[in-house]
Amino acid sequence: MSIVYRETEKTFTLHTRNSSYQMKVDEQGRLLHTYYGSKSDSSDLSYLIAYGDRGFSGNPHELGRVNRRYSLDTLPQEYSCFGTGDYRVSALRVQNADGSQAASLVYSGFAIEEGKYGLPGLPAVYDNGGEADTLRVTLVDQANGLQVDLLYGVFEAADIITRAVLITNQGAADVVLQKAASLNLDWQAGQFDLISFHGRHAMERNFQKSRLSHGVASIGSVRGASSHHHNPFAILCEPGTGETRGSSYGFAFVYSGEFLLESEKDQMDQTRLVLGIHPDNFSWTLAAGEIFTTPEAVMTFSDGGWGGVSRNFHAILRHNVCRGEWKDKRRPVLINNWEGTYFDFDGDKLAAIAQDAAELGVELFVMDDGWFGKRDDDNSGLGDWYPNETKLGCTLKELGEKITGLGMQFGIWFEPECISEDSDLYRAHPDWAVQIPGRPPVLSRNQLILDFSRADVQDYLIERLSAVLASAPVSYVKWDFNRSISDKFSQALPAGRQGEMAHRFVLGLYRVLESLLQKFPHILFEGCSGGGGRFDAGMLYYTPQIWTSDNTDAIERLQIQYGTSFAYPVSAMGAHVSAVPNHQTGRVTSLATRAAVAMAGTFGYELDINLMTAAEKREVRMQIERFKELYELIQRGNYYRLASPLEGSCTVWQMAAVDRSAALVTAVYHHVEANPRPVYVKLQGLEAEADYKLSLLSSSEEGREELGTVSGLALMRGGWRIPEAGGDYWALQILAERLD
Ligand code: DGJ
């Protein structure tokens, strides 16, 4: 059992393969955090906690006169409360019936169960059978009657611990939750760097590392979605940590809405991390007997650097978050018409693209925005989910059958959470749009938000989208969301409950997605939000792949995919080859480079293939064959970042088969040098004693150039010298195959 409770010491120790986590109930009945880090035994580590004169920090009333060494303001706590003597950032803030903002929790009991807890209505990491155990620790606030159940899911082999919190009002009066975080983690010692991933539309998840110093540092979103701007994922690591060494903690939030990740270094040089729903747009009235469930947070620890953290997350997201038929099935190579045609298409034009694509080995044709309602630009039509048969020149069924008749699958685009003012749906239901009475709502891409917090809106969308999906042979849906939510207000909620709207919106989104997945289990859903504006572990529970960015420039993608790879696996990252000059940057790169970069994702094309030359088409055919041949290695292998796009001249990454039988190294010169300095990388994840045959896969032609045979140990210790650049943005792939 991965969870050890020791009655004499009142300690709970959670053990994973390489880490241990401990909390302890102290003599005051407080649940203190004692340790999280490299694997230890179950010894009581509370001797690490420092008690000194804490008179100026404040002491609990029952102790103040006799023991000024005990202060909630300096003790490491498992779940901290606002308003009762801990002045640091806190996990729980409530407003009681008398208006006071105070909570104070003491231990009341625990339960240990086999298997992993679930969270109704919310995405959560799940147990495939025998992989996890659950610890539930119950705390109570005797003054207001709140019961707080801290849930821990321990995935021992995966080195993962999940956390969520249930808050139950056992009192008689309403309590308003103003902040209910999913995770609180206190370290008594250590200095940390915070690594987070910031961005903007078309440039998401840029790597940023900053030293935590005294005070509060935070990242978050108040945009209704997890956002382009900060990803709900972060790493805390000791200074000096890199890809392969150093102690690193990773934290991901399994939630697609507003979030806040705060860290505070306090007066004693201790560090606290709090992660949960962003409190700015949140307040939740909990009536007597009601339960509030927080979303889930996931943590991992690795003393093998950032790479260890990333691979732990890749594995848990692929095996225990992504679900359904498409979790393990080979995903189709697709072509999407967005950058090929934008809104300017009809059924014949799409069918002609599909025809050429099918001949080259593409397996799925995706019809993007513009097929429904009155939608020839982005100013109208959202909400009118009825095929525009005049524009298509046929019914959706007929178009779908034309595509499937080519031996391809057929997919379509939706943006269900948005509505255009110029739409029949808006004219019929203006109250369904999110806006505050008496204030003109903010427009973004000239559209409004549909109020997904309302059950009637959710029901309507489930019914309408189901009708479309049932009417044609659709095997793929791209689920887009192209703006942030502002003017948060729901006409279906009373004034005192408007603070619930943002979270109810996300619950509504999850309900609609879940219903559609249940009804259409064979459909592959791809998430999207103006590119990668909602790329999070919550969405991966419903959509096993997500469009990574509207930026398809191969060189900018190096950075975007690099940042994304810190948390998310290759199998989740939508990546396409698009036309040059690139539509976002104007940059020209070779077809080979564009394909090498897109192969670090789900792989597809997004251009008008009819405009390609015969030579380009031959190259596309070869790329698709190569991707299919290397699919297992690319999509299911272990992923290693060997050289960063933020330094040097060449970005290099590697996929290694789990059984170590092969590895694929991809290198892209992002900046060519005169009189170039050689680029060396050390491979990882190979079998030390085995020999590997190395071949250079020509980036634009079939065939391979043999590079020799080298032992796994030599490749991992000595490394390999990447061949010199053949020009700016030059890409190459090297295959290492084990000789058995
Ligand atoms: C934003 C997406 O990221 C694009 O791929 C495309 O689907 C457009 N929306 C369509 O409006």
Side-chain angles (χ1 to χ4, degrees):
M1 177 57 92
S2 56
I3 301 170
V4 178
Y5 173 64
R6 289 200 173 156
E7 174 63 32
T8 41
E9 291 140 334
K10 287 206 160 28
T11 52
F12 299 93
T13 313
L14 318 181
H15 294 291
T16 70
R17 199 157 43 98
N18 295 301
S19 75
S20 299
Y21 181 102
Q22 192 182 71
M23 66 200 95
K24 174 187 173 86
V25 183
D26 76 358
E27 285 173 0
Q28 313 306 320
R30 302 284 177 175
L31 187 63
L32 302 184
H33 177 78
T34 60
Y35 180 73
Y36 186 29
S38 290
K39 183 124 182 175
S40 179
D41 52 26
S42 301
S43 305
D44 180 354
L45 286 151
S46 61
Y47 62 82
L48 293 168
I49 298 174
Y51 295 87
D53 184 350
R54 303 281 188 257
F56 279 84
S57 287
N59 317 109
H61 191 266
E62 64 274 18
L63 287 177
R65 298 229 173 87
V66 289
N67 179 5
R68 291 178 19 162
R69 296 163 63 82
Y70 192 98
S71 174
L72 292 178
D73 195 31
T74 54
L75 287 171
Q77 297 181 59
E78 197 56 30
Y79 198 67
S80 59
C81 296
F82 180 85
T84 51
D86 183 345
Y87 300 92
R88 296 169 286 182
V89 292
S90 52
L92 180 68
R93 190 169 72 224
V94 306
Q95 184 169 52
N96 300 304
D98 59 8
S100 62
Q101 287 181 300
S104 181
L105 297 171
V106 291
Y107 173 76
S108 117
F110 78 96
I112 295 174
E113 288 152 26
E114 276 178 24
K116 162 73 174 32
Y117 63 84
L119 299 175
L122 281 164
V125 181
Y126 62 88
D127 180 356
N128 290 294
E131 295 174 327
D133 300 308
T134 292
L135 168 67
R136 174 191 294 249
V137 184
T138 304
L139 311 175
V140 291
D141 183 327
Q142 274 137 5
N144 60 13
L146 279 191
Q147 175 180 311
V148 172
D149 288 297
L150 306 179
L151 301 177
Y152 300 82
V154 185
F155 289 78
E156 185 172 4
D159 268 326
I160 290 284
I161 298 176
T162 67
R163 297 180 58 172
V165 181
L166 307 180
I167 305 173
T168 311
N169 186 351
Q170 304 280 28
D174 289 359
V175 175
V176 179
L177 304 178
Q178 297 178 323
K179 184 179 185 187
S182 302
L183 173 153
N184 179 123
L185 185 56
D186 282 3
W187 289 265
Q188 300 139 50
Q191 200 174 29
F192 294 101
D193 286 339
L194 170 67
I195 297 177
S196 58
F197 301 88
H198 70 95
R200 58 186 191 277
H201 174 241
M203 200 61 214
E204 298 88 340
R205 289 171 295 285
N206 297 279
F207 174 98
Q208 171 174 277
K209 176 156 73 75
S210 38
R211 179 70 37 89
L212 290 184
S213 48
H214 290 95
V216 179
S218 73
I219 55 162
S221 164
V222 289
R223 295 170 180 268
S226 47
S227 87
H228 298 88
H229 308 80
H230 293 286
N231 194 259
F233 170 77
I235 290 176
L236 253 68
C237 58
E238 61 185 6
T241 296
E243 281 294 343
T244 55
R245 54 178 83 88
S247 293
S248 274
Y249 301 84
F251 303 93
F253 200 26
V254 190
Y255 188 61
S256 313
E258 305 187 352
F259 75 96
L260 180 64
L261 181 145
E262 301 163 279
S263 60
E264 179 166 1
K265 185 167 176 179
D266 73 8
Q267 56 181 324
M268 294 294 151
D269 293 350
Q270 305 178 116
T271 301
R272 168 172 291 173
L273 184 86
V274 176
L275 172 59
I277 294 177
H278 202 301
D280 277 8
N281 280 313
F282 175 80
S283 73
W284 195 276
T285 303
L286 209 56
E290 286 183 348
I291 304 176
F292 180 80
T293 305
T294 72
E296 182 162 271
V298 184
M299 341 184 269
T300 192
F301 168 82
S302 169
D303 55 15
W306 306 328
V309 165
S310 295
R311 284 183 292 282
N312 289 347
F313 273 111
H314 295 172
I316 202 81
L317 291 172
R318 275 177 40 207
H319 301 305
N320 303 83
V321 172
C322 293
R323 297 177 298 161
E325 279 182 22
W326 289 99
K327 171 182 169 181
D328 293 321
K329 205 154 116 184
R330 184 168 79 68
R331 314 265 178 78
V333 174
L334 67 76
I335 184 156
N336 177 305
N337 71 302
W338 178 244
E339 286 199 21
T341 66
Y342 295 105
F343 292 102
D344 181 18
F345 62 82
D346 58 20
D348 286 345
K349 191 165 178 180
L350 299 183
I353 295 175
Q355 165 117 34
D356 270 10
E359 281 165 16
L360 302 180
V362 176
E363 299 159 305
L364 163 68
F365 176 82
V366 180
M367 176 169 64
D368 210 280
D369 195 352
W371 58 268
F372 53 90
K374 184 182 119 199
R375 184 77 173 166
D376 289 324
D377 54 37
D378 58 13
N379 293 314
S380 62
L382 287 178
D384 294 341
W385 301 112
Y386 294 88
N388 183 337
E389 293 175 2
T390 313
K391 175 169 177 175
L392 294 178
C394 59
T395 64
L396 190 66
K397 183 163 186 269
E398 284 163 347
L399 179 61
E401 283 171 351
K402 229 183 248 178
I403 306 289
T404 52
L406 297 168
M408 292 178 110
Q409 297 166 44
F410 177 52
I412 52 174
W413 177 97
F414 286 108
E415 191 178 359
E417 299 148 85
C418 287
I419 183 165
S420 306
E421 284 173 292
D422 184 1
S423 69
D424 293 339
L425 187 69
Y426 185 81
R427 285 181 277 276
H429 294 285
D431 56 318
W432 283 8
V434 173
Q435 47 193 321
I436 303 170
R439 286 180 196 276
V442 170
L443 286 176
S444 181
R445 218 189 180 206
N446 200 13
Q447 64 199 48
L448 300 178
I449 298 283
L450 254 186
D451 185 357
F452 257 52
S453 72
R454 293 173 66 139
D456 53 354
V457 171
Q458 298 161 22
D459 291 343
Y460 172 79
L461 262 301
I462 292 169
E463 188 279 315
R464 185 82 296 270
L465 301 191
S466 298
V468 175
L469 295 177
S471 73
V474 177
S475 351
Y476 163 105
V477 164
K478 179 173 171 188
W479 185 288
D480 205 347
F481 181 52
N482 282 303
R483 61 159 293 180
S484 304
I485 310 181
S486 59
D487 308 283
K488 295 188 184 91
F489 184 87
S490 172
Q491 301 203 28
L493 288 171
R497 286 187 176 259
Q498 290 298 331
E500 298 177 14
M501 188 262 172
H503 180 53
R504 287 189 185 278
F505 185 99
V506 182
L507 296 178
L509 164 68
Y510 291 153
R511 180 178 161 237
V512 175
L513 280 167
E514 187 64 40
S515 310
L516 294 174
L517 286 174
Q518 297 299 332
K519 284 186 177 187
F520 302 97
H522 67 285
I523 291 185
L524 168 62
F525 282 76
E526 174 155 351
C528 177
S529 175
R534 199 162 53 185
F535 205 121
D536 56 64
M539 284 308 286
L540 287 177
Y541 190 69
Y542 305 94
T543 65
Q545 57 191 60
I546 301 176
W547 181 227
T548 311
S549 178
D550 272 350
N551 187 341
T552 57
D553 175 278
I555 302 308
E556 299 246 281
R557 271 285 180 133
L558 294 174
Q559 278 189 49
I560 297 168
Q561 294 176 190
Y562 170 80
T564 307
S565 78
F566 275 77
Y568 307 101
V570 164
S571 60
M573 282 191 237
H576 301 166
V577 173
S578 61
V580 289
N582 178 266
H583 293 193
Q584 293 79 42
T585 61
R587 192 190 330 253
V588 176
T589 53
S590 71
L591 190 52
T593 295
R594 284 173 272 154
V597 174
M599 280 193 206
T602 56
F603 195 61
Y605 292 81
E606 183 161 336
L607 39 71
D608 185 348
I609 217 159
N610 295 152
L611 303 178
M612 289 183 128
T613 63
E616 285 172 330
K617 285 184 183 168
R618 269 198 305 280
E619 196 173 335
V620 167
R621 184 196 302 280
M622 186 278 297
Q623 291 169 347
I624 294 171
E625 275 166 17
R626 177 169 297 160
F627 178 72
K628 288 179 184 169
E629 185 193 324
L630 298 175
Y631 185 87
E632 288 295 315
L633 184 53
I634 293 175
Q635 300 291 318
R636 303 198 216 283
N638 289 323
Y639 182 86
Y640 301 89
R641 291 175 295 268
L642 303 188
S644 157
L646 307 173
E647 295 157 10
S649 58
C650 191
T651 308
V652 190
W653 63 91
Q654 178 202 337
M655 286 91 169
V658 177
D659 67 1
R660 299 173 188 264
S661 58
L664 178 70
V665 175
T666 306
V668 179
Y669 279 90
H670 52 257
H671 172 70
V672 75
E673 293 180 333
N675 190 12
R677 295 164 291 176
V679 176
Y680 295 99
V681 291
K682 289 183 178 164
L683 273 64
Q684 299 181 51
L686 303 180
E687 200 171 302
E689 273 93 68
D691 283 334
Y692 287 82
K693 184 180 83 177
L694 299 177
S695 329
L696 181 66
L697 305 180
S698 159
S699 41
S700 54
E701 290 158 34
E702 283 170 89
R704 317 168 162 199
E705 183 192 329
E706 301 295 319
L707 297 175
T709 298
V710 185
S711 77
L713 192 62
L715 288 168
M716 293 191 291
R717 296 283 155 79
W720 190 251
R721 183 171 53 74
I722 300 292
E724 257 179 43
D728 219 359
Y729 313 137
W730 191 66
L732 63 136
Q733 293 175 311
I734 297 169
L735 185 63
E737 292 166 294
R738 189 177 61 201
L739 299 173
D740 288 317

